Structure formats: structure tokens, C-alpha cells
């Protein structure tokens, strides 16, 4: 507990920060009663490396999701095309069967159509 220090500033520091713009030089300040932590350079490098690795993993996952979504879209389009083709073929079969039945009725029961 010896390494922990609590700094006491007046509330003016927080108020000033809220009123100023968020440029790079102003976003690194210590407000009253904030807990600060000191890290070694090695710990900092490990944190940066783990964040970079996590960012790469997230990016790879996003790219994989985009690729899978594209494949899913293509598969859905193919399924719709095959459904339409199947419907057309069924209609052609039914039309051929009805023609065959009509020819069979005209020929007095002799079926001239092949199945």
C-alpha cells in the first residue's frame, strides 16, 4: 500500500477540463481523489502487445463474418434460383401429364405417352 498515493486537487481542475476542448494535451490530467497506478515499461509493453493482439483477433473475426455473410447471401440466391427452377420443372411435368391424359382420352384409353 506504500506505492498508492491519492492526490487532492480542487474541483476547479475537473470543471476547467469540462469546459475546455478535448485536444491531445488536455486529456491527461489528474482530478481530485483519483487513484493513480504506476506501471513499469515492461508491463506497459505487455498491455500494448495484448491490445494489439486482441485488435487483430477482432479484425480477423470481422473479416470472417463479412466473408461468411457474403457466402450466405450467395447460397440464399442459389436456393431461390433452384426453387424457381424446380417450380418451372414441376409445371412442365404437370403440363406434359395433362397433355398425355388428354391424348389418352382421345385415343379411347390407349396411352400413347411414355412415362
Amino acid at each position: 500500500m506504500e506505492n498508492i498515493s491519492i492526490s487532492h486537487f480542487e474541483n476547479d481542475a475537473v470543471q476547467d477540463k469540462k469546459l475546455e476542448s478535448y485536444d491531445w494535451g488536455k486529456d491527461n490530467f489528474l482530478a481530485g481523489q483519483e487513484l493513480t497506478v504506476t506501471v513499469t515499461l515492461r508491463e506497459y509493453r505487455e498491455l500494448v502487445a495484448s491490445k494489439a493482439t486482441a485488435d487483430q483477433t477482432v479484425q480477423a473475426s470481422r473479416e470472417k463474418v463479412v466473408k461468411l455473410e457474403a457466402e450466405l447471401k450467395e447460397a440464399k440466391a442459389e436456393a431461390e434460383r433452384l426453387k424457381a427452377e424446380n417450380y418451372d420443372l414441376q409445371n412442365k411435368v404437370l403440363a406434359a401429364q395433362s397433355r398425355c391424359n388428354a391424348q389418352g382420352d382421345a385415343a379411347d384409353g390407349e396411352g400413347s405417352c411414355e412415362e
Side-chain angles (χ1 to χ4, degrees), residues 18-60:
K18 288 181 180 178
L19 295 176
E20 292 179 15
S21 65
Y22 289 96
D23 58 357
W24 180 256
K26 302 284 184 182
D27 65 353
N28 197 10
F29 75 102
L30 181 65
Q33 297 186 354
E34 275 190 332
L35 180 64
T36 59
V37 177
T38 304
V39 296
T40 64
L41 182 58
R42 179 178 174 203
E43 292 170 330
Y44 177 76
R45 286 178 178 158
E46 288 174 0
L47 286 171
V48 170
S50 66
K51 182 175 181 346
T53 303
D55 288 346
Q56 288 175 347
T57 303
V58 168
Q59 184 62 28

Side-chain angles (χ1 to χ4, degrees), residues 6-104:
I6 299 177
S7 301
H8 298 282
F9 289 93
E10 296 180 20
N11 288 338
D12 292 339
V14 176
Q15 185 64 31
D16 289 344
K17 176 61 182 165
K18 288 181 180 178
L19 295 176
E20 292 179 15
S21 65
Y22 289 96
D23 58 357
W24 180 256
K26 302 284 184 182
D27 65 353
N28 197 10
F29 75 102
L30 181 65
Q33 297 186 354
E34 275 190 332
L35 180 64
T36 59
V37 177
T38 304
V39 296
T40 64
L41 182 58
R42 179 178 174 203
E43 292 170 330
Y44 177 76
R45 286 178 178 158
E46 288 174 0
L47 286 171
V48 170
S50 66
K51 182 175 181 346
T53 303
D55 288 346
Q56 288 175 347
T57 303
V58 168
Q59 184 62 28
S61 297
R62 286 182 181 155
E63 290 171 2
K64 185 176 180 180
V65 166
V66 167
K67 181 181 176 184
L68 290 173
E69 285 176 345
E71 289 176 6
L72 178 62
K73 185 177 179 181
E74 289 175 10
K76 284 182 178 181
E78 179 71 10
E80 289 298 319
R81 186 189 64 77
L82 291 173
K83 284 179 186 178
E85 184 179 335
N86 186 30
Y87 179 76
D88 290 341
L89 291 174
Q90 286 176 348
N91 285 339
K92 288 179 182 178
V93 167
L94 290 174
Q97 286 176 347
S98 65
R99 278 194 311 259
C100 185
N101 288 339
Q103 288 176 357

